[in-house]
Amino acid sequence: MGENPPVTEQQKELAALAMQEFDRKQFTSCCNVMNKLMAQRGSDPRVVHNKAVADFCLSGSQSTDEFRQSLASVCQMAHVNIESWEGLEDVDHSVLFYNQAVILYHLRQNKAALAILDKLFPFIDPLSSTGDEGLCKKVLLLQVELYLSTYQPEKAMGLLTYIEKNVLNGKIPTEREGSREDSKEGSPGSESSWENWRPMLSVFKMRCLIMMKSMKACKREIKAVMNVQSSNTSVVFLKANFEYLRGNYRKAQKMLGSGPQMYTDKGECLTVMHYNNMGCVYFHLRKHNLGMFYLRKALQENENVVREMRRSTDQNRQHGGSNNKSLSGRPLHCLGMSRHFELMYNMGIQLLHCGKALPAFECLIEAVQIYHINPHLWLRLAECCIMAYRENNEDDRRLSKRQSVIQGSVGSGVHRKLILGPGVNQDKNSVGTPAIPAATLEFASLCLRNALLLLSGVPETMATDQAQNEDKEDGKLGPEAVFVQAPPGNPMRATEVHNLRCSVLCASAYVALCLNDYTMALDYANTLLKQPRISSAQSYLAHMYMGEALVSLDRIADGIQHLNPELVTDVSTTLPDNKPDQDKGNMDKSDKDSDPEFKGAFYPWTPRDQRTARAIMQYNLAAAHAVRGEYDKAWNHLNESSKSIGTPLPAQMYFLKLYLDLIEGRRKMAQFVIKDHFGHVTPNRMEMKTPKPGSNNASWNNE
């Protein structure tokens, strides 16, 4: 690096001695030798760099800030610009970029680290020919890890194939291992032969196949690895993940077992991973409260580990005196150890399915500060707001809702009057700005717009074409199939993008209706109906929302066409081509006997059957006819709907029944409905002398 005086024999001996002490991990002795060498060659960037590496290791990999400053000084001495470099002019500079990539990796700046290693890859052969085989290996393995960390399993698998063909087969020599420049703590390994690293390559390959969802190839690889590394913790976790993706949640739960009570020297807390994985398994088993229990334990364990790390850091500072005030505090490999925001994301999803909208909102609003490019997260936030506004579709059947039909009475005797309620759709929203996070429909509308904006970069036709191709490739995740990043999970593929867009449009139409924005609701529902692949439930809701929007816009004739009950043929939440038994041919005999709990929706969907769905649509049709002034048609449709919708009847049906009876002059029948269903506001001494209605009104006596 740069022009320097020739190296003397004494300096060579000092360098060899320093290297020997470094390999023995005697960093204090190594630093003493390096100080002597620095006194003679203080302007040599290589010596300055090696001294910085030795000091960093002596600090227990804690002086990250000082090490980065030293790297910057070395780069300035060697006239190298790491941030804006177009090519590597000198192979000797490779170690600078590798160390910088290692730091960025542990800081979880994976894309920046990968950009550096992608420029180093063309120099793998020159590195090996100059005797830096150890650095060559570490660059390759770190690059594989970074490809996986950035969700590029296809590229990672290609690099693993390159390693097997060119390194394990002897095309890259492996006689000399390790060098002082790159053998610092936090690097991917320090063994003396590629053969000793074969288990690591096998684990990498399993991770690639799982991320690509290539189940057949992954099954073969897991069988081969389990025969050799059955006790390896990473292999056990990967095997459990494999069964989890196949839907064998009971088997995944058994493989996870009781969980290890430890964290590794790589900065990964295995206990946090275990509890989080158990929470995910119970989520798919529809045991959301039990899953929430494990996620709370994972969050508590994560906080304990971080707190313990900080406590040990404070103790080190007290013993180290003022010289350690500039240390970053934690070892480099522990800087990205906390999984707080990933756990908050999982907890928010779990709480939402537990029916606890407000706690779920608080968790997800914290996670969105980090994962704001995830459209799925914005949809979940909107769903929290919708659930806070209206818990579920059975909400209007509650006694409190039905009692609100008659609010009370005034007067007495012949002058006694009953006061009808204002309706079930009361304004529950705040008057604040939607830009301030709160569980309101206004903020839900903002979240849904963000989700649609993140999905707008993927054309609908392209997503559909890619979805058809993915179905033929055993779930392979190619670069052309990835459209939208969705951290902390894998990128969304074409099918997932399309399905998510349909869900966002459906929720957007509902929120717009609740906010009385009928034009936007009509636009969202119309766009949803134009989607090439939507579920029957989404089609049902789209027609209903579109009909309600048209009626509210005084286009009642058009709205009635969408509210036709004959259009309701199916209300399933799955796509027609997603049959539950399509993968049975690929399952083992033990898999076929697995629990059926993983089938169906994660949250109970109402209406559950076609008969109830038609009854609800028929009620909406009755309301549309009533608005149009066609009271006989409205009465007939309401009567037919009340026979099929089930009991107790929703509060809206009582409102419409009383409205039709009163406007048509059927006062006695209205009094009978009030007496029979709202006796708490009717005096006992009041006698109904009108006979009970005939068979056409029998459904109003079922409650």
Side-chain angles (χ1 to χ4, degrees):
M1 296 181 182
E3 297 181 359
N4 289 283
V7 182
T8 65
E9 292 298 328
Q10 181 184 6
Q11 293 171 354
K12 289 182 180 180
E13 293 177 1
L14 288 175
L17 179 59
M19 184 65 189
Q20 181 181 359
E21 296 295 329
F22 188 90
D23 290 339
R24 294 170 52 196
K25 298 185 183 298
Q26 301 297 323
F27 301 122
T28 302
S29 301
C30 178
C31 288
N32 294 333
V33 176
M34 287 303 302
N35 288 331
K36 297 178 181 180
L37 193 58
M38 279 284 293
Q40 301 179 23
R41 302 185 61 86
S43 60
D44 189 343
R46 183 189 296 271
V47 175
V48 176
H49 172 266
N50 291 346
K51 176 63 166 60
V53 172
D55 289 338
F56 179 71
C57 294
L58 179 62
S59 68
S61 302
Q62 294 185 10
S63 57
T64 305
D65 294 335
E66 292 182 355
F67 183 62
R68 297 186 71 180
Q69 294 175 4
S70 299
L71 281 182
S73 300
V74 173
C75 292
Q76 186 176 4
M77 294 172 61
H79 306 289
V80 176
N81 190 343
I82 294 182
E83 296 181 355
S84 60
W85 67 297
E86 298 180 356
L88 192 63
E89 298 179 357
D90 190 347
V91 179
D92 289 339
H93 296 163
S94 301
V95 67
L96 295 176
F97 296 105
Y98 169 74
N99 284 338
Q100 181 68 15
V102 170
I103 293 175
L104 292 175
Y105 165 71
H106 287 293
L107 293 176
R108 303 179 75 174
Q109 300 178 21
N110 298 320
K111 291 184 178 180
L114 185 58
I116 294 176
L117 293 188
D118 282 341
K119 299 291 181 67
L120 277 178
F121 182 75
F123 297 90
I124 292 299
D125 291 337
L127 278 174
S128 61
S129 62
T130 58
D132 285 336
E133 296 84 9
L135 177 60
C136 171
K137 296 174 184 179
K138 294 176 182 179
V139 168
L140 290 174
L141 292 182
L142 179 58
Q143 194 170 12
V144 173
E145 177 64 36
L146 287 171
Y147 277 136
L148 291 173
S149 299
T150 54
Y151 306 105
Q152 302 181 68
E154 294 277 358
K155 292 185 178 181
M157 183 63 76
L159 189 56
L160 289 173
T161 304
Y162 170 85
I163 293 174
E164 291 178 346
K165 290 182 178 180
N166 295 276
V167 180
L168 296 183
N169 292 336
K171 292 185 179 182
I172 296 180
T174 60
E175 295 85 6
R176 180 170 171 267
E177 300 294 333
S179 65
R180 185 192 326 174
E181 293 90 342
D182 56 298
S183 300
K184 68 182 187 57
E185 187 171 341
S187 56
S190 60
E191 283 79 10
S192 61
S193 174
W194 270 109
E195 294 298 327
N196 295 333
W197 290 13
R198 279 187 180 273
M200 184 185 299
L201 298 180
S202 299
V203 171
F204 274 135
K205 188 176 293 186
M206 289 173 57
R207 291 174 59 189
C208 292
L209 294 172
I210 286 177
M211 192 173 292
M212 290 189 294
K213 295 183 174 63
S214 183
M215 297 292 105
K216 293 181 180 179
C218 187
K219 185 176 182 180
R220 292 192 297 267
E221 187 69 24
I222 286 179
K223 284 184 177 180
V225 174
M226 289 294 289
N227 294 332
V228 181
Q229 307 181 60
S230 58
S231 60
N232 189 326
T233 305
S234 299
V235 175
V236 173
F237 272 94
L238 287 171
K239 172 66 174 174
N241 193 1
F242 170 74
E243 298 296 345
Y244 171 83
L245 292 176
R246 298 182 71 197
N248 302 326
Y249 305 115
R250 295 289 186 186
K251 188 178 293 186
Q253 177 188 358
K254 292 180 180 179
M255 292 210 64
L256 290 173
S258 59
Q261 304 294 324
M262 58 176 291
Y263 66 92
T264 68
D265 56 355
K266 297 179 181 179
E268 297 175 345
C269 183
L270 299 182
T271 309
V272 174
M273 295 170 59
H274 167 77
Y275 288 143
N276 174 78
N277 293 346
M278 291 294 291
C280 293
V281 168
Y282 282 116
F283 173 83
H284 284 275
L285 289 174
R286 278 60 170 177
K287 298 180 179 181
H288 301 300
N289 290 290
L290 185 56
M292 192 61 222
F293 167 77
Y294 278 100
L295 288 177
R296 283 199 181 98
K297 294 186 70 173
L299 185 63
Q300 182 180 1
E301 187 66 26
N302 183 75
E303 293 175 352
N304 292 339
V305 171
V306 174
R307 189 183 304 112
E308 183 64 27
M309 188 63 65
R310 290 175 178 172
R311 184 182 297 112
S312 62
T313 299
D314 294 338
Q315 293 177 357
N316 292 336
R317 287 180 177 176
Q318 292 176 0
H319 293 295
S322 59
N323 293 332
N324 290 330
K325 289 185 177 180
S326 61
L327 299 182
S328 59
R330 288 176 289 173
L332 176 63
H333 60 273
C334 295
L335 292 180
M337 182 176 58
S338 176
R339 292 294 182 266
H340 175 79
F341 291 101
E342 292 96 322
L343 293 174
M344 294 302 291
Y345 178 88
N346 286 345
M347 286 181 64
I349 303 300
Q350 197 82 267
L351 285 168
L352 180 62
H353 286 80
C354 289
K356 301 177 181 179
L358 295 182
F361 181 84
E362 295 299 327
C363 292
L364 294 179
I365 206 65
E366 186 173 350
V368 81
Q369 301 176 32
I370 304 298
Y371 307 119
H372 53 272
I373 63 172
N374 185 350
H376 212 156
L377 177 53
W378 288 109
L379 173 62
R380 294 304 188 189
L381 274 171
E383 290 174 344
C384 291
C385 300
I386 293 173
M387 184 177 289
Y389 173 79
R390 179 186 176 89
E391 185 173 349
N392 52 54
N393 289 334
E394 300 292 333
D395 188 54
D396 294 326
R397 297 176 184 265
R398 294 180 178 178
L399 179 61
S400 59
K401 289 283 187 179
R402 290 182 283 127
Q403 288 179 339
S404 66
V405 175
I406 306 294
Q407 284 194 338
S409 62
V410 293
S412 60
V414 295
H415 301 289
R416 188 170 182 267
K417 307 292 182 183
L418 296 180
I419 304 175
L420 296 179
V424 295
N425 294 327
Q426 302 182 33
D427 186 14
K428 298 181 181 180
N429 303 310
S430 66
V431 295
T433 172
I436 299 177
T440 63
L441 290 180
E442 289 87 355
F443 186 72
S445 179
L446 177 64
C447 294
L448 293 170
R449 288 198 299 270
N450 289 342
L452 287 175
L453 182 62
L454 291 170
L455 296 173
S456 61
V458 183
E460 298 174 8
T461 55
M462 184 184 299
T464 305
D465 296 339
Q466 291 291 344
Q468 295 174 354
N469 295 334
E470 289 171 12
D471 295 337
K472 303 177 183 179
E473 296 179 357
D474 189 31
K476 290 184 178 179
L477 182 61
E480 72 282 353
V482 180
F483 293 113
V484 179
Q485 296 293 325
N490 293 341
M492 300 177 60
R493 296 186 291 175
T495 305
E496 298 166 327
V497 170
H498 176 76
N499 294 340
L500 180 59
R501 181 185 284 112
C502 293
S503 299
V504 173
L505 288 171
C506 191
S508 299
Y510 175 79
V511 171
L513 280 176
C514 295
L515 295 176
N516 301 326
D517 191 352
Y518 305 116
T519 303
M520 290 303 301
L522 181 62
D523 180 67
Y524 288 134
N526 188 36
T527 305
L528 177 59
L529 287 175
K530 292 180 180 178
Q531 299 299 307
R533 295 172 59 193
I534 62 175
S535 65
S536 300
Q538 290 171 338
S539 176
Y540 168 75
L541 292 176
H543 281 290
M544 182 179 294
Y545 295 158
M546 199 168 184
E548 184 175 347
L550 289 169
V551 171
S552 300
L553 292 172
D554 202 21
R555 297 168 55 184
I556 302 177
D558 296 334
I560 287 177
Q561 295 180 2
H562 288 278
L563 296 175
N564 184 4
E566 300 300 324
L567 295 175
V568 183
T569 58
D570 187 16
V571 289
S572 61
T573 57
T574 56
L575 294 174
D577 54 350
N578 288 347
K579 297 179 181 180
D581 299 330
Q582 62 183 359
D583 294 330
K584 280 191 175 181
N586 299 329
M587 290 187 179
D588 296 334
K589 182 178 180 180
S590 58
D591 297 336
K592 295 180 181 179
D593 299 332
S594 58
D595 294 330
E597 294 171 304
F598 67 93
K599 299 178 181 179
F602 287 103
Y603 198 78
W605 158 251
T606 304
R608 297 180 178 85
D609 52 55
Q610 179 183 349
R611 183 168 180 260
T612 307
R614 283 192 173 187
I616 295 175
M617 187 70 82
Q618 201 163 23
Y619 161 77
N620 285 295
L621 182 60
H625 283 299
V627 174
R628 201 178 188 183
E630 300 172 349
Y631 302 120
D632 291 338
K633 291 184 178 180
W635 169 261
N636 292 333
H637 286 301
L638 179 63
N639 187 43
E640 290 296 325
S641 174
S642 64
K643 295 178 181 179
S644 304
I645 204 170
T647 57
L649 298 175
Q652 293 96 326
M653 301 194 74
Y654 291 108
F655 277 111
L656 183 57
K657 177 67 170 63
L658 292 174
Y659 172 79
L660 293 175
D661 285 340
L662 293 176
I663 203 168
E664 288 284 280
R666 298 188 290 267
R667 182 183 178 188
K668 296 297 183 181
M669 297 182 68
Q671 288 179 341
F672 168 76
V673 172
I674 295 173
K675 179 70 176 178
D676 196 29
H677 299 282
F678 305 96
H680 63 286
V681 296
T682 305
N684 293 332
R685 64 178 182 273
M686 178 181 178
E687 296 182 0
M688 300 294 295
K689 296 184 179 181
T690 304
K692 290 187 177 182
S695 59
N696 60 332
N697 293 323
S699 60
W700 295 97
N701 299 328
N702 293 335
E703 194 154 345

